[in-house]
């Protein structure tokens, strides 16, 4: 199937804007929001804060975000992914994980400053 940046609404198996939360299905990644990059018949590839994972459709939960909010989530997700690497200090990994599990489509002023600092510190500003 063609690569997309759309969300899967699991109960209807239809495509919606690109924001979802993982309910379960990937160990340690419950309640993370992410972007669906590929949709298959029974699973999809989801990009979350530390990489891409194959997830069963039944493990996804969509939210009724507006298209602009979905774009904000995609931008935040991309920024977190640029900074993340396995070689980071545990504190930095934990902060990125917490930002990837926020239950809202935006960063507060302090969260934005923290992410910007990490981007600057690790040379990951686009």
């Amino acid at each position: 199937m063609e690569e997309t940046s759309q969300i899967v609404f699991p109960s209807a198996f239809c495509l919606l804007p690109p924001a979802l939360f993982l309910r379960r299905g990937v160990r340690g990644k419950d309640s993370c929001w992410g972007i669906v990059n590929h949709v298959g018949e029974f699973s999809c590839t989801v990009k979350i804060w530390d990489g891409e994972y194959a997830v069963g459709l039944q493990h996804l939960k969509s939210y009724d975000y507006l298209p602009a909010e979905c774009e904000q989530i995609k931008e935040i997700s991309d920024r977190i992914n640029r900074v993340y690497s396995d070689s980071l200090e545990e504190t930095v990994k934990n902060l990125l994980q917490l930002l990837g599990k926020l239950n809202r489509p935006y960063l507060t002023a302090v969260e934005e400053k923290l992410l910007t600092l990490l981007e600057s510190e690790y040379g990951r500003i686009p």
Side-chain angles (χ1 to χ4, degrees):
M1 185 172 274
E2 186 175 313
E3 188 170 302
T4 66
S5 288
Q6 300 294 309
I7 183 171
V8 174
F9 188 78
S11 63
F13 298 100
C14 62
L15 296 177
L16 298 172
L20 58 87
F21 281 83
L22 296 177
R23 294 186 304 182
R24 61 187 177 282
V26 179
R27 177 175 274 201
K29 310 299 186 230
D30 295 352
S31 300
C32 289
W33 47 252
I35 308 300
V36 174
N37 288 324
H38 174 81
V39 178
E41 189 174 347
F42 300 106
S43 67
C44 59
T45 303
V46 179
K47 182 178 180 183
I48 60 173
W49 65 273
D50 69 340
E52 288 190 351
Y53 297 88
V55 179
L57 298 176
Q58 74 275 16
H59 298 302
L60 304 176
K61 179 179 181 182
S62 68
Y63 283 82
D64 293 326
Y65 288 133
L66 299 171
E69 292 171 322
C70 293
E71 282 304 312
Q72 286 178 279
I73 288 175
K74 184 176 182 333
E75 181 181 312
I76 294 167
S77 177
D78 289 345
R79 291 174 66 196
I80 292 170
N81 271 281
R82 278 193 297 273
V83 174
Y84 183 82
S85 100
D86 286 334
S87 63
L88 294 173
E89 297 131 1
E90 286 301 311
T91 304
V92 175
K93 287 183 190 178
N94 289 332
L95 177 59
L96 293 172
Q97 179 180 11
L98 289 172
L99 292 174
K101 287 188 170 190
L102 293 174
N103 197 11
R104 53 185 151 74
Y106 61 89
L107 298 177
T108 65
V110 172
E111 292 162 348
E112 177 64 38
K113 287 178 186 178
L114 287 169
L115 184 53
T116 300
L117 173 67
L118 292 175
E119 288 172 321
S120 176
E121 182 68 26
Y122 292 99
R124 306 280 193 343
I125 298 174

